[in-house]
C-alpha cells in the first residue's frame, strides 16, 4: 500500500514530458543525474580529505618525533658531518633538532659579522635579515636539491635532504667562527684554506647521501656536483656578502676619509658582540662536555660477585618445567639447583610488566627476579596487576620508569611525593612501548625519567640511540638514582649484582664476536 501523500506529487504525462528539457529521454536524464551526484560525492570526499590533511599538518605533535632526538646522537651526527664515506656505509636518521640548532648558531655568527662590519639595513633589522637569510637559504637550497633529485631519478625524501643539508652547515658555522676571530682584512687565503679543509668534505658527504638512491652513475655525479656547488656558494655568499672591511673600502676609494669617530664608536659594540659570541660558544662547549660525561658502564665500574662458581656449569633439567637450562630457568624464573646466584637487597620493590613478544631467553629484566626474588614481581602483559585498586598510599609511592612528557625526575618525585616504595618497568622494545604505556591497569601512576646514560647492551635496536637502555640497566640506574638523589645516601655497590648475569652474558657474546672476526681474518688471508 502506497503512502497517502504519494498521489499528491504524482506527475501527469504532460508534466513528465515537460520536465525532460531539450527532449532528452528518461534514461539520458537519469544518467546525467547520476554523473552529477557522483561528481558531487567525489568533490565532497576530496574536500574533506584536504581539510583533514591541513588540520593534521597544523598540529604541533606532527613535528614532535623529528625533534625527539637524544643529545648524544646529535653530537655523533655533528662529528660525522665532516667525514665523507661510501653511500652504503652512511646511515641516515633524519631529524630537525640538530639542524635547527645549527641554523640558530649560524644566525648568531652572521649577526656578529654584520654588526662588526658596520652593515646598515635600509628596510628591516639586522636580526630579521640574519634569520631570513639563514633559514631561507636552508629551506630554499634543500628544496632545490629535492627537485634535482626528482629530475635525476633519485628518490630521496625531502626530510632526509633537509636534515643532511642542515648538518652539513656545521662546517660553515665553524668557518664563520674562525674567520671572525682570525681573519685578515686584506688576505682571504685563511678563509679558502678553511673552506677546503672543512666545507668541501662536509659538502661531499651531503652529496653522497643525496645520490644514494640514484641508479645511473652520470646522475650520481651530477647530484654530487650540485650538492657541493650549492653548499660552497652559500658559504661564499655569507662570507663575502656580509663581511665588509673598512680597509678594503679605503683601498678601493683611494684617498677616502675614514670617519675615525664612527670607528671608535663601534669598538664598544664590537666588544659586546665578542662577549656574546664567547658566551654562546661556552654554552655549546658545556653542552658537549655534559654529553661526553655519559660514559658506558663496564664490568670494572661495578663490584660484581666472582664468575668462577659458574664457570664450569653445564646444562641440567629444570625441576618444574623439565627444560634443559644452564644457570637459571627463564620460563620458571628460578635458579637451577646447585648453581650459584648472587642475592641483593633493593631499596624498593620492582614490578616488571613484560611484553608477550619479548622472549624470556633474551629478557634482561628477568635477571632482577633471579637475584632479588622476594622484591621482584613479573607480570606477563596483558595479565597485569591492577594498580588502580591499590590504596591511595600505595599509588602515591609507586613510580613508572618511562620518559613521557609528564615524567619527573627521581629527586623531584621524592621531594613532592615522599619515598618510593615500588617502581614499575616495561620490558619491551622501544617500538612496542607505545602499546604498553596505554595499559589500563597502570594509568594514573606517576612517570619518572632517568638521567641520560649510554647502554652497554650488545644487541642495539634499529634506529634507537645509545641511550636506549636494556631493561636491567634501567632498573639498576633507577634504583641507584633513588638511593643517591632521592634518599641522599651514599651508594657503595650494594646492588651491583643486579648486573651479574648481564655482564656474564656480555662475556659470552664478546668471546663469540672475537672468534668470528678471527675466523673472518683468517679466511681473508687465505683468499689473498
Amino acid at each position: 500500500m502506497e503512502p497517502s501523500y504519494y498521489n499528491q506529487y504524482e506527475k501527469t504525462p504532460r508534466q513528465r514530458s515537460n520536465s525532460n528539457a531539450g527532449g532528452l529521454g528518461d534514461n539520458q536524464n537519469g544518467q546525467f543525474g547520476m554523473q552529477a551526484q557522483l561528481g558531487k560525492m567525489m568533490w565532497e570526499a576530496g574536500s574533506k580529505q584536504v581539510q583533514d590533511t591541513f588540520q593534521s599538518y597544523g598540529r604541533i605533535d606532527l613535528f614532535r618525533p623529528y625533534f625527539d632526538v637524544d643529545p648524544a646522537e646529535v653530537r655523533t651526527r655533528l662529528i660525522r658531518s665532516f667525514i665523507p664515506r661510501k653511500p652504503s656505509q652512511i646511515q641516515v636518521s633524519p631529524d630537525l633538532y640538530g639542524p635547527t640548532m645549527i641554523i640558530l648558531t649560524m644566525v648568531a655568527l652572521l649577526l656578529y659579522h654584520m654588526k662588526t662590519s658596520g652593515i646598515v639595513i635600509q628596510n628591516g633589522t639586522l636580526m630579521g635579515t640574519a634569520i631570513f637569510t639563514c633559514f631561507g637559504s636552508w629551506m630554499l637550497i634543500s628544496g632545490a636539491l629535492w627537485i634535482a633529485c626528482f629530475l635525476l631519478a633519485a628518490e630521496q625524501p625531502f626530510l632526509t635532504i633537509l636534515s643532511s643539508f642542515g648538518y652539513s652547515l656545521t662546517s660553515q658555522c665553524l668557518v664563520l667562527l674562525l674567520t671572525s676571530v682570525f681573519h685578515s682584512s686584506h688576505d682571504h687565503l685563511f678563509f679558502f684554506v678553511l673552506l677546503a679543509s672543512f666545507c668541501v668534505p662536509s659538502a661531499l658527504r651531503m652529496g653522497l647521501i643525496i645520490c644514494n638512491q640514484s641508479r645511473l652513475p652520470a646522475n650520481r655525479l651530477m647530484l654530487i656536483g650540485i650538492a657541493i656547488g650549492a653548499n660552497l656558494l652559500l658559504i661564499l655568499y655569507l662570507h663575502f656578502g656580509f663581511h665588509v672591511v673598512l680597509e678594503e673600502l679605503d683601498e678601493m676609494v683611494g684617498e677616502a676619509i675614514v670617519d675615525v669617530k664612527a670607528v671608535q664608536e663601534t669598538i664598544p659594540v664590537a666588544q659586546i658582540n665578542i662577549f656574546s659570541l664567547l658566551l654562546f660558544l661556552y654554552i655549546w662547549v658545556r653542552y658537549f662536555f655534559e654529553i661526553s660525561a655519559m660514559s658506558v658502564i663496564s664490568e670494572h665500574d661495578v663490584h660484581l660477585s666472582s664468575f668462577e662458581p659458574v664457570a664450569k656449569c653445564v646444562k641440567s633439567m629444570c625441576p618444574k618445567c623439565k627444560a634443559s637450562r644452564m644457570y637459571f630457568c627463564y620460563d620458571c624464573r628460578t635458579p637451577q639447583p646447585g648453581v650459584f646466584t648472587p642475592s641483593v637487597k633493593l631499596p624498593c620493590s620492582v614490578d616488571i610488566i613484560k611484553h608477550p613478544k619479548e622472549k624470556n631467553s633474551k629478557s634482561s629484566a628477568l635477571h632482577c627476579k633471579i637475584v632479588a626474588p622476594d622484591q621482584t614481581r613479573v607480570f606477563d602483559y596483558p595479565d597485569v596487576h591492577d594498580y588502580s585498586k591499590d590504596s591511595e598510599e600505595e599509588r602515591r609511592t609507586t613510580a613508572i620508569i618511562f620518559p613521557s612528557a609528564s615524567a619527573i625526575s627521581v629527586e623531584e618525585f621524592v621531594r613532592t611525593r615522599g619515598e618510593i616504595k615500588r617502581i614499575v618497568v616495561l620490558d619491551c622494545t622501544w617500538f612496542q612501548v607505545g602499546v604498553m604505556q596505554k595499559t589500563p591497569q597502570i594509568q594514573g601512576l606517576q612517570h619518572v625519567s632517568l638521567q641520560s646514560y649510554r647502554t652497554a647492551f650488545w644487541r642495539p635496536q634499529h634506529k634507537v640511540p645509545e641511550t636506549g637502555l636494556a631493561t636491567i640497566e634501567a632498573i639498576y640506574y633507577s634504583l641507584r638514582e633513588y638511593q643517591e638523589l632521592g634518599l641522599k645516601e651514599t651508594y657503595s655497590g650494594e646492588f651491583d649484582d643486579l648486573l651479574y648475569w648481564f655482564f656474564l652474558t656480555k662475556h659470552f657474546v664478546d668471546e663469540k664476536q672475537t672468534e668470528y672476526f678471527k675466523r673472518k681474518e683468517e679466511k681473508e688471508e687465505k683468499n689473498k
Side-chain angles (χ1 to χ4, degrees):
M1 181 176 180
E2 296 178 346
S4 58
Y5 56 81
Y6 181 83
N7 292 329
Q8 298 177 7
Y9 298 93
E10 184 179 4
K11 298 182 180 179
T12 63
R14 182 179 297 273
Q15 289 174 327
R16 288 197 296 269
S17 176
N18 292 338
S19 64
N20 295 332
L24 297 176
D26 291 339
N27 293 337
Q28 291 178 333
N29 188 44
Q31 181 179 1
F32 280 102
M34 290 181 61
Q35 292 178 354
Q37 188 176 4
L38 180 61
K40 183 178 180 181
M41 292 174 60
M42 293 179 62
W43 172 260
E44 291 178 352
S47 301
K48 187 177 184 302
Q49 185 175 3
V50 171
Q51 291 176 0
D52 293 343
T53 302
F54 275 105
Q55 291 176 359
S56 176
Y57 276 83
R59 298 171 184 166
I60 193 64
D61 289 344
L62 181 68
F63 300 96
R64 181 177 297 176
Y66 304 127
F67 289 88
D68 187 13
V69 57
D70 186 73
E73 186 66 22
V74 174
R75 179 199 60 178
T76 302
R77 293 174 185 177
L78 289 174
I79 297 174
R80 290 177 179 174
S81 65
F82 293 92
I83 307 173
R85 303 180 66 182
K86 294 181 180 180
S88 58
Q89 298 177 347
I90 300 177
Q91 296 181 355
V92 181
S93 298
D95 70 275
L96 296 179
Y97 175 75
T100 303
M101 294 296 294
I102 295 169
I103 298 300
L104 292 175
T105 305
M106 181 178 286
V107 169
L109 293 170
L110 187 60
L111 187 62
Y112 171 77
H113 269 279
M114 296 166 68
K115 286 186 176 181
T116 55
S117 300
I119 293 180
V120 179
I121 306 297
Q122 298 295 335
N123 298 321
T125 61
L126 295 181
M127 177 65 75
T129 303
I131 293 176
F132 177 78
T133 300
C134 295
F135 278 94
S137 301
W138 180 34
M139 297 292 179
L140 183 63
I141 295 178
S142 299
L145 292 174
W146 181 75
I147 294 175
C149 290
F150 176 77
L151 295 176
L152 296 176
E155 298 179 358
Q156 281 289 1
F158 178 71
L159 182 62
T160 300
I161 299 175
L162 191 67
S163 178
S164 302
F165 181 62
Y167 276 108
S168 70
L169 297 181
T170 307
S171 60
Q172 301 196 12
C173 290
L174 181 60
V175 171
L176 290 175
L177 172 63
L178 295 177
T179 53
S180 300
V181 180
F182 303 106
H183 184 58
S184 174
S185 59
H186 296 280
D187 189 8
H188 293 282
L189 178 61
F190 180 65
F191 165 72
F192 285 109
V193 170
L194 294 177
L195 184 73
S197 302
F198 298 109
C199 293
V200 172
S202 184
L204 178 60
R205 177 184 174 86
M206 182 190 65
L208 293 173
I209 293 176
I210 292 176
C211 75
N212 190 21
Q213 299 297 329
S214 180
R215 299 179 180 178
L216 299 178
N219 290 353
R220 288 188 176 185
L221 293 176
M222 290 179 63
L223 287 173
I224 293 175
I226 293 173
I228 295 176
N231 197 298
L232 298 183
L233 285 176
L234 178 59
I235 184 61
L236 290 173
Y237 169 70
L238 294 177
H239 178 75
F240 291 102
F242 296 96
H243 195 98
V244 181
V245 184
L246 294 178
E247 288 82 353
E248 294 179 353
L249 294 177
D250 185 30
E251 290 181 357
M252 294 174 59
V253 176
E255 296 181 354
I257 300 176
V258 179
D259 190 353
V260 179
K261 183 178 180 180
V263 174
Q264 291 177 350
E265 290 177 353
T266 59
I267 293 178
V269 178
Q271 292 176 349
I272 296 175
N273 292 333
I274 292 175
F275 175 77
S276 302
L277 185 60
L278 291 176
L279 180 62
F280 191 81
L281 293 176
Y282 167 75
I283 295 174
W284 267 104
V285 171
R286 183 176 178 181
Y287 172 78
F288 276 105
F289 272 107
E290 288 179 354
I291 295 174
S292 301
M294 296 187 300
S295 58
V296 179
I297 192 170
S298 66
E299 181 183 341
H300 305 289
D301 300 326
V302 291
H303 304 286
L304 300 178
S305 300
S306 175
F307 292 133
E308 292 183 3
V310 297
K312 297 181 180 180
C313 284
V314 295
K315 288 187 176 182
S316 59
M317 183 180 297
C318 174
K320 294 183 179 180
C321 65
K322 308 302 180 183
S324 179
R325 301 287 184 258
M326 181 172 290
Y327 305 115
F328 56 87
C329 182
Y330 41 76
D331 290 329
C332 301
R333 295 152 189 175
T334 55
Q336 286 290 84
V339 176
F340 168 79
T341 182
S343 178
V344 299
K345 184 178 181 180
L346 306 179
C348 65
S349 300
V350 178
D351 282 1
I352 300 169
I353 301 178
K354 187 175 171 298
H355 194 277
K357 291 187 178 180
E358 186 72 13
K359 294 182 178 180
N360 290 332
S361 58
K362 296 182 179 181
S363 174
S364 64
L366 300 181
H367 299 169
C368 186
K369 179 64 176 177
I370 301 300
V371 300
D374 296 334
Q375 294 180 279
T376 307
R377 298 189 301 182
V378 181
F379 302 101
D380 295 303
Y381 181 88
D383 186 15
V384 180
H385 171 72
D386 193 352
Y387 296 91
S388 62
K389 296 181 180 179
D390 291 344
S391 65
E392 182 63 26
E393 175 66 18
E394 290 177 327
R395 288 175 54 82
R396 187 177 61 84
T397 57
T398 302
I400 299 181
I401 307 301
F402 182 74
S404 64
S406 60
I408 60 177
S409 64
V410 173
E411 189 175 8
E412 184 179 354
F413 186 99
V414 176
R415 185 176 65 252
T416 57
R417 303 170 70 98
E419 295 184 359
I420 300 177
K421 299 296 181 62
R422 187 179 303 278
I423 65 171
V424 180
V425 293
L426 307 178
D427 185 31
C428 60
T429 65
W430 283 100
F431 304 103
Q432 299 165 343
V433 74
V435 176
M436 294 286 286
Q437 67 171 331
K438 297 179 182 178
T439 304
Q441 294 92 324
I442 65 175
Q443 300 305 310
L445 297 180
Q446 178 62 55
H447 289 192
V448 169
S449 61
L450 304 178
Q451 297 178 356
S452 295
Y453 304 97
R454 293 168 60 193
T455 182
F457 197 46
W458 52 89
R459 191 175 59 250
Q461 299 179 32
H462 182 59
K463 292 185 178 182
V464 175
E466 294 179 347
T467 53
L469 302 176
T471 308
I472 191 62
E473 290 179 302
I475 296 173
Y476 171 79
Y477 284 122
S478 60
L479 294 175
R480 184 164 178 173
E481 282 191 19
Y482 173 56
Q483 179 162 322
E484 292 180 332
L485 304 178
L487 301 179
K488 306 297 181 181
E489 298 178 0
T490 303
Y491 179 72
S492 304
E494 292 85 357
F495 45 84
D496 280 353
D497 275 334
L498 277 175
L499 303 173
Y500 182 85
W501 299 111
F502 178 82
F503 280 112
L504 181 65
T505 308
K506 192 174 189 304
H507 268 279
F508 179 76
V509 174
D510 292 341
E511 290 177 2
K512 291 296 182 181
Q513 288 182 345
T514 303
E515 294 176 0
Y516 168 76
F517 287 117
K518 186 177 180 180
R519 290 195 303 268
K520 186 177 180 180
E521 290 178 359
E522 293 176 353
K523 185 177 181 180
E524 291 177 352
E525 290 179 358
K526 289 181 180 180
N527 294 334
K528 291 180 180 179

